């Protein structure tokens, strides 16, 4: 009963924060900036796309660990008690506030510890077309998986995040998979338990 | 060196086209109202475009610095056949595990990379800065296109002289990227320009206190390089070949009357265009 009410309020929080408390820049500028970064990486690695993927992931991780602070400060949301809640928080608040999009949450695993985000409107890859050789290996938006990994780790969720499919690779949709490995424990300082 | 002499000699002739405070006076037209109306329309159009959060954008821009350093590091590793980045804390993820989507090995955290960049020898340092300027250059190159199609009534690229190009950078490019304009533009009308930005957005979150040491300022310096690249990129897209343009960034003191910002120094971009 309470679940839909909850999710609605999350959605409202997301929209309100986006509308009223967020400074904005042109999404096209964002797209082309990211494009410049990726193309510089591809040039640096002589089109060894596996390494480009890793660097993008790592860059995202470094962004994510700091972005989560901004997110928590902006929304003042409490801790999520399960992955279902987490997934809603990510799609309805985090993606909304930072990229102004709301990916769909689907493909839950039976233990409810893994889910997919469907990114139909991905501002990172708007207007992007990959050359043939990059299509096979490059996960163009891999920075996103890094961001999610970093941010979730900062709220004690050790997850694996990776792209399953990407429209840029000719797949019908862009799917980002998030799988919980374990919930990290809050450490109690020695001598205080 | 030639640039220094040039600018010193012409200091007396410097004047200040007033870009910062009021765009319509800068255009210097009598039909203020018409101009304002068009300006308003442009604003509405701009607001209707898709947007993303500025925080994210700034983080993405700033993260380019540690990223470039990480790339530099990897390159060094490759040449000395140390590819598995053995000194990473996160290297337990073996290769066989990677195939089943365990997260890829991470580079060291950003602050560590920034420190490494600061401590790197000159050659490495320059390669990293070049990489950043390249990224900026590409952004600048394309941002012109983005702005040309924005129907801005102030923009006329036909018969545009160098001063208007610089005004375009100060006003439109800067506003698009950093949500603010350049605070002051000085020129000698012979190809030398100084663009002053007293609160350059990307570094505002690096709060240094008033006795910030020289060392800290040096560590922040690489974060100015993307903007340097952007300026060169925009100029290149309007027909000033990169080899004809020198662009350097340095710190300047903020003027007294400016309200206190979190970052104590302003930034000056010195642009020299061969004419």
């Amino acid at each position: 009963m309470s679940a839909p009410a909850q999710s609605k309020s999350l959605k409202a929080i997301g929209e309100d924060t986006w509308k009223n408390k967020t400074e904005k820049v042109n999404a096209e500028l964002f797209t082309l900036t990211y494009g410049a970064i990726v193309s510089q990486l591809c040039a640096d690695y002589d089109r060894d796309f596996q390494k480009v993927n890793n660097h993008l992931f790592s860059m995202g991780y470094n962004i994510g660990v700091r972005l989560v602070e901004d997110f928590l400060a902006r929304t003042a949301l409490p801790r999520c008690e399960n992955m279902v809640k987490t997934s809603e928080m990510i799609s309805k608040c985090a993606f909304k506030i930072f990229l102004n999009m709301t990916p769909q949450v689907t493909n839950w695993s039976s233990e409810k510890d893994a889910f997919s985000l469907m990114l139909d409107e991905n501002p990172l890859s708007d207007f992007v077309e990959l050359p043939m050789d990059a299509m096979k290996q490059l996960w163009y938006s891999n920075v996103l998986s890094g961001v999610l990994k970093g941010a979730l780790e900062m709220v004690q969720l050790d997850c694996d995040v990776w792209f399953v499919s990407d429209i840029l690779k000719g797949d019908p949709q862009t799917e980002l998979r998030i799988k919980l490995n374990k919930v990290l424990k809050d450490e109690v300082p020695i001598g205080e338990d | 060196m030639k640039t220094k002499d040039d600018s010193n000699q012409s200091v007396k002739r410097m004047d200040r086209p007033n870009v910062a405070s009021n765009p319509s006076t800068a255009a210097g037209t009598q039909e203020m109202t018409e101009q304002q109306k068009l300006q308003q329309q442009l604003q509405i159009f701009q607001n209707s475009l898709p947007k993303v959060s500025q925080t994210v954008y700034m983080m993405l821009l700033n993260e380019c610095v540690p990223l470039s350093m990480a790339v530099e590091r990897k390159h060094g590793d490759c040449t000395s056949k140390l590819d598995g980045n053995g000194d990473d804390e996160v290297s337990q993820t073996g290769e066989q595990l990677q195939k089943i989507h365990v997260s890829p090995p991470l580079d060291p955290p950003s602050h560590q990379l920034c420190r490494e960049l600061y401590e790197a020898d000159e050659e490495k340092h320059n390669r990293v800065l070049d990489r950043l300027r390249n990224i900026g250059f590409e952004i600048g190159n394309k941002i012109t296109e983005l702005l040309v199609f924005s129907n801005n009534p102030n923009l006329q690229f036909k018969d545009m002289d160098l001063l208007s190009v610089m005004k375009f950078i100060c006003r439109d490019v800067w506003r698009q990227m950093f949500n603010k304009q350049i605070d002051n533009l000085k020129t000698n009308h012979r190809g030398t320009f100084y663009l002053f930005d007293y609160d350059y957005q990307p570094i505002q979150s690096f709060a240094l206190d008033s006795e910030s040491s020289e060392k800290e300022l040096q560590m922040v310096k690489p974060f100015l390089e993307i903007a340097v690249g952007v300026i060169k990129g925009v100029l290149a897209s309007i027909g000033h070949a990169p080899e004809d343009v020198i662009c350097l960034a340095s710190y300047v003191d903020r003027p007294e009357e400016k309200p206190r910002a979190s970052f104590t120094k302003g930034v000056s971009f010195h642009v020299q265009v061969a004419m």
Side-chain angles (χ1 to χ4, degrees), chain A residues 2-170:
Chain A
S2 71
Q6 272 293 355
S7 70
K8 196 169 183 185
S9 83
L10 273 184
K11 192 174 171 214
I13 291 171
E15 263 162 23
D16 179 59
T17 316
W18 166 253
K19 256 195 210 121
N20 305 322
K21 294 182 205 155
T22 311
E23 280 211 70
K24 303 171 184 75
V25 290
N26 191 342
E28 285 180 33
L29 176 69
F30 183 70
T31 311
L32 75 86
T33 302
Y34 186 65
I37 295 168
V38 177
S39 78
Q40 175 66 30
L41 271 178
C42 290
D44 278 332
Y45 280 117
D46 227 6
R47 311 187 82 74
D48 181 343
F49 297 113
Q50 198 48 51
K51 288 194 178 134
V52 175
N53 289 342
N54 289 354
H55 264 298
L56 287 173
F57 185 91
S58 180
M59 179 196 201
Y61 180 90
N62 284 339
I63 293 177
V65 295
R66 274 170 293 129
L67 194 61
V68 72
E69 286 179 30
D70 186 85
F71 175 73
L72 295 175
R74 245 172 242 269
T75 56
L77 284 165
R79 191 178 279 239
C80 300
E81 61 272 20
N82 55 37
M83 281 308 270
V84 178
K85 195 78 187 293
T86 309
S87 73
E88 280 176 0
M89 200 87 112
I90 292 170
S91 74
K92 298 201 174 97
C93 291
F95 268 92
K96 178 72 193 173
I97 292 168
F98 293 124
L99 297 178
N100 191 23
M101 63 194 271
T102 317
Q104 282 217 0
V105 183
T106 52
N107 289 352
W108 279 98
S109 65
S110 47
E111 297 91 53
K112 293 269 180 211
D113 64 347
F115 60 93
S116 292
L117 293 170
M118 296 298 181
L119 315 166
D120 359 298
E121 10 143 31
N122 177 2
L124 287 172
S125 61
D126 269 348
F127 323 110
V128 174
E129 235 176 272
L130 295 179
M132 284 301 271
D133 60 335
M135 260 172 93
K136 290 199 199 91
Q137 287 189 301
L138 179 66
W139 292 110
Y140 186 84
S141 314
N142 212 22
V143 73
L144 279 185
S145 19
V147 169
L148 282 166
K149 162 94 182 161
L152 288 169
E153 204 163 292
M154 289 300 114
V155 291
Q156 269 103 356
L157 297 172
D158 177 16
C159 296
D160 274 331
V161 187
W162 72 95
F163 274 95
V164 178
S165 62
D166 191 340
I167 292 178
L168 295 183
K169 292 189 157 203

Side-chain angles (χ1 to χ4, degrees), chain B residues 16-70:
Chain B
R16 303 169 178 215
N18 183 6
V19 229
S21 54
N22 192 345
S24 43
T25 48
T29 49
Q30 264 127 26
E31 50 211 330
M32 282 267 283
T33 46
E34 188 63 21
Q35 187 77 14
Q36 275 170 341
K37 219 182 282 172
L38 288 170
Q39 207 73 55
Q40 212 170 19
Q41 270 171 11
L42 173 71
Q43 203 52 53
I44 294 169
F45 168 70
Q46 292 272 335
N47 291 344
S48 74
L49 293 173
K51 295 277 191 293
V52 296
S53 153
Q54 201 196 10
T55 321
V56 170
Y57 185 61
M58 283 304 139
M59 278 191 176
L60 187 69
L61 274 187
N62 282 343
E63 206 54 40
C64 290
V65 175
L67 175 76
S68 302
M69 184 60 211

